[in-house]
Structure formats: structure tokens, C-alpha cells
Amino acid sequence: MRNDSFLTQVRNRILARHWVSPDDREYNRSTPSTSFWGRWTQRILLVGNLLVGFLYLGSAYSPYISPTEHAVFSCLGLMFPLLLLLHSCFFVLWLLFRPRMLWLPALFLLLGWKTTTTCYSVGSQKEPEGKTLKLLTYNTHMRAFTGLDHPEKNEMLNYLKDSDADILCLQEFLPPTEKAARKVNRYLSNYPYHHHYRVANGNGLALYTRYPILSVEPVRYKTRFANGSVLYRLQVGSDTLVVVNNHLETNQLSSHDKELYKDLLKGRKENSRSGSKHLLKKLAQAAVVRGPQADSVAQAIRRSGQQYVVACGDFNDSPVSYAHRAIGEGLDDAFAEAGWGLGTTYNQSYMYFRIDHILVSPTLRVVQCEVDRSIRLSDHYPMWCILEKTNEDE
């Protein structure tokens, strides 16, 4: 019996049928149609690989294009996971049909490698070497304020209280009344320092921390809806830690828009073209607003002049986006450093993207970072990370 692996057998059979050595003239004369189809198959694969490869690179480098200048092109980053999957398929196809062509998909992958590792993390958990702090970011979808007469029965508040985080950065979290705020603060008494920031329309952001809050600086920018960012300075030991809590411009997709998206995923052709244009237009409109917001946050971080920085929250955009790149300039993506996989944080309507992020300065070492899927009270999953100073001994 032959000891060839199954893959080797399949490859040999396909090569025998389609790929004929040009030196084997006798075989070519006896089976001219096979050689013809083999050449055309190679050409089709080549054209397909080039097309997908250039789209892959266009998506990988789309974060460097300002949405205010090219709004539609800036949305190409949302397709990056799909293009990465399609591009990876060419490794298998060339391996089966023409191994000598493996250099082509490998070249494209190399050119877009940095974006690939940001989108699909292959990081690893590390052993802490000194004092650590845990930070959690969570868009609560205003689900923390029901049954406040018995807060111990509120699952959201219990999750926050038991999270063991040193810093909670919360979006869509604003108690409706002063009385409700006092009840929430009392129940989260393990966080003696806290701040609520009202944006608009009854929405806002909040920070709960075990560290003293030295200053609060709202980041001013234009927004169509109830979005905002706040820069905090915290006293952590003898150091000052800057924490920027963000809730950037929402895409404002309606229930009808989400149904259109589901129909597109399921391949329903009714109004597919007009539906695609409609969704792309809404995404582009939000990106145009979100771009300058990200620039304002990045400028606020630079002006702070602090050594230790964390920028986190609901960016409403993927890791392959202008907003992520602009705010993350000079910072490290915590999930890319110590997470694994795509790390999707939005969990509704088949829109499985990582739109919540934690970005940290290189002076902070990411020990661990996870998306917590154990709780599903909001349309987002919480993300948390454990950090330590890189210069602990200094």
C-alpha cells in the first residue's frame, strides 16, 4: 500500500488531470483538451488571486485614507476578515494545482501582515512581573438601571461589582436621576472614585475607579447623536495615568437596515443592489463624522503629555479603520498583544465585529486581554485587560 497522505493523493490526481508538463509531448498529443483546460484553470486562478489580493491590500491600507476625503473607500476595512479568508483559500488552491505559485498569495499576505495581526490576534497571555491593574470597558446599553430598589438583583450591576477591575470605563451608562445615581454609586462602593458625563438625549459615559481622579477633560467634537469622549487623569501610586473613555459616532443602523444586512448575508437577491448602496451610504456618512472625532481624541492624548495612556471604549469601528489607527497612533492594541482570534464585541444582527477597543502606551505591558462572552445583557460584550508598567524597576 502507498503511504501517501490523503492530501498528497488528491493533489497528484488533480495534477494528473489538469497540469501537464510541457516536456511530456506524447501525453499532450494524446490528451490535448486536458492541457487546454489546465492552462485556462491556471489563468483563472491567477486573475482571481490578483483581484482578491489587491482588494485585500486596499482593505489593509484603507485606515490611512481620511473618511472626509474618501468616505466610501474608508469602509473597505469592514471587509478585511472576509478578504483575508478568501485570500487564504488561494494558498490551498495553489498548493493543490501549482505549488510553485505559492509565492503570490504569500507576497500579498506579507504586505498586509501588520493589519492581519491587528484584525486577527495571535497574541498570548503573559506572566505578570510586577504590580498590575485591570481595566474593563463596556457599552452597557443603559441596562444597569432597572430595579434599583433591589440593586443586588440587577445582573448588570452585579457583573460590574464582581468584575475585580480597578477601572471601569462605561458607555451608554447614565443614571436617569440623581437618586438613581446615588443608589448605583452606593452599590458600586468598592469604587470610591467615579464620574458621570452627560452627552445628550439621556445618554452618557461613566468612569468608576479605585484610583483618585485628578482631572476630568471632555474632548470637544461634533456629533450627530449622543456620542462623546472624556479624558481622565488618575493618580496611580506615584504616577499619573491618562484614561480616555470613548463612545464615537454610531452608525445608526435601523431595524430595517439590519434586516437588509441579514438578507444580503443569506444571498437574497431582492433589492440586493439598492440595499447594499443604502447600507454603504449610512456607514460612509458615520465614518465622515467619526474621522474628525478620532483626530480630536488623538490630539487630546498628545496634549496630555503623559507617559502612561489608555484609550478605550466603543469606537463603533473595526480594528481596520481610520478611527482605530488615528487614536492608536503610538499606542498598542491590547487585544492584538494578548488576545486570540477576531475578538468580536458586537453581538447583534449577525454584525460580528470588534468595535470596542483598548489601546495602551508602550510604557504599559499587556499581560492579558479578553472579550467576556459570559454576559449578554447588552448588544456589546465587555472587554478587559490586565496591564503593568514596563519600567517597574526604574
Side-chain angles (χ1 to χ4, degrees):
M1 293 180 62
R2 296 186 63 180
N3 294 324
D4 293 348
S5 67
F6 175 75
L7 181 61
T8 303
Q9 294 180 37
V10 171
R11 173 176 171 271
N12 289 340
R13 289 177 182 178
I14 294 174
L15 289 174
R17 290 187 60 187
H18 296 285
W19 299 111
V20 183
S21 171
D23 296 329
D24 195 350
R25 297 179 180 178
E26 181 179 353
Y27 187 87
N28 281 335
R29 286 194 298 270
S30 63
T31 56
S33 61
T34 301
S35 177
F36 170 80
W37 287 113
R39 288 194 297 270
W40 270 104
T41 302
Q42 181 181 5
R43 291 168 183 168
I44 292 171
L45 280 178
L46 180 61
V47 171
N49 197 166
L50 289 172
L51 177 62
V52 173
F54 282 115
L55 283 173
Y56 163 81
L57 288 182
S59 179
Y61 288 95
S62 63
Y64 292 90
I65 302 299
S66 172
T68 57
E69 299 176 5
H70 303 282
V72 173
F73 185 75
S74 69
C75 298
L76 188 59
L78 292 171
M79 295 180 60
F80 187 82
L82 175 61
L83 291 170
L84 176 61
L85 177 62
L86 291 175
H87 185 67
S88 301
C89 291
F90 282 97
F91 280 95
V92 179
L93 292 172
W94 285 125
L95 181 63
L96 291 173
F97 289 96
R98 197 75 162 181
R100 73 173 73 175
M101 292 297 295
L102 283 172
W103 66 269
L104 182 60
L107 177 62
F108 281 118
L109 186 64
L110 180 63
L111 293 173
W113 182 249
K114 183 178 180 181
T115 305
T116 299
T117 55
T118 300
C119 177
Y120 190 95
S121 173
V122 290
S124 61
Q125 182 177 338
K126 305 170 183 65
E127 289 296 325
E129 299 175 354
K131 294 180 180 179
T132 62
L133 67 84
K134 181 178 180 180
L135 180 143
L136 180 143
T137 179
Y138 192 12
N139 184 323
T140 66
H141 204 51
M142 301 294 285
R143 298 288 176 83
F145 311 117
T146 57
L148 288 180
D149 290 334
H150 299 281
E152 69 279 358
K153 296 181 181 180
N154 186 302
E155 191 175 350
M156 177 75 76
L157 289 178
N158 283 328
Y159 174 81
L160 297 175
K161 184 177 182 178
D162 299 336
S163 66
D164 195 36
D166 299 294
I167 303 171
L168 299 176
C169 291
L170 308 175
Q171 304 86 43
E172 294 191 32
F173 188 101
L174 187 69
T177 64
E178 288 296 328
K179 183 179 179 181
R182 287 194 296 270
K183 289 182 178 181
V184 171
N185 296 340
R186 190 181 306 119
Y187 193 67
L188 298 178
S189 59
N190 49 334
Y191 296 99
Y193 309 99
H194 45 79
H195 179 262
H196 297 157
Y197 177 68
R198 181 181 296 275
V199 182
N201 301 326
N203 197 6
L205 302 99
L207 179 124
Y208 285 81
T209 175
R210 292 173 176 156
Y211 306 113
I213 300 175
L214 300 177
S215 66
V216 178
E217 179 187 332
V219 180
R220 306 297 180 185
Y221 52 62
K222 292 182 179 179
T223 176
R224 300 177 301 169
F225 305 105
N227 298 95
S229 300
V230 184
L231 185 148
Y232 298 93
R233 289 178 176 83
L234 308 181
Q235 186 70 51
V236 182
S238 59
D239 299 306
T240 299
L241 172 67
V242 166
V243 176
V244 189
N245 188 10
N246 298 280
H247 187 198
L248 302 184
E249 192 73 13
T250 178
N251 294 303
Q252 279 294 306
L253 296 180
S254 65
S255 299
H256 174 67
D257 297 332
K258 293 174 182 178
E259 288 300 319
L260 279 177
Y261 176 73
K262 289 180 183 179
D263 290 343
L264 290 173
L265 288 182
K266 294 176 181 178
R268 295 176 181 171
K269 296 182 179 180
E270 300 86 355
N271 301 320
S272 60
R273 186 172 182 179
S274 60
S276 299
K277 289 183 177 180
H278 172 74
L279 290 175
L280 186 58
K281 181 180 179 181
K282 293 199 76 169
L283 293 172
Q285 288 173 342
V288 169
V289 180
R290 199 161 45 239
Q293 292 177 352
D295 291 335
S296 297
V297 173
Q299 290 168 10
I301 292 173
R302 288 193 293 269
R303 286 197 307 267
S304 72
Q306 296 299 321
Q307 184 180 12
Y308 303 103
V309 176
V310 177
C312 64
D314 178 6
F315 288 20
N316 272 308
D317 225 334
S318 75
V320 189
S321 65
Y322 179 86
H324 183 279
R325 186 196 64 80
I327 297 176
E329 192 73 37
L331 305 178
D332 298 324
D333 187 306
F335 191 81
E337 292 289 316
W340 182 263
L342 291 173
T344 55
T345 59
Y346 192 77
N347 57 43
Q348 297 292 313
S349 306
Y350 299 99
M351 296 181 178
Y352 302 129
F353 296 98
R354 185 163 95 243
I355 61 175
D356 301 84
H357 308 282
I358 302 175
L359 308 174
V360 305
S361 57
T363 53
L364 295 170
R365 178 172 178 260
V366 184
V367 176
Q368 188 176 356
C369 187
E370 291 186 12
V371 175
D372 190 350
R373 295 180 176 84
S374 67
I375 182 170
R376 195 165 180 170
L377 298 177
S378 168
D379 53 356
H380 292 246
Y381 292 121
M383 175 185 283
W384 59 264
C385 71
I386 296 177
L387 305 170
E388 67 178 359
K389 292 164 56 179
T390 57
N391 57 348
E392 187 69 44
D393 296 332
E394 293 181 8

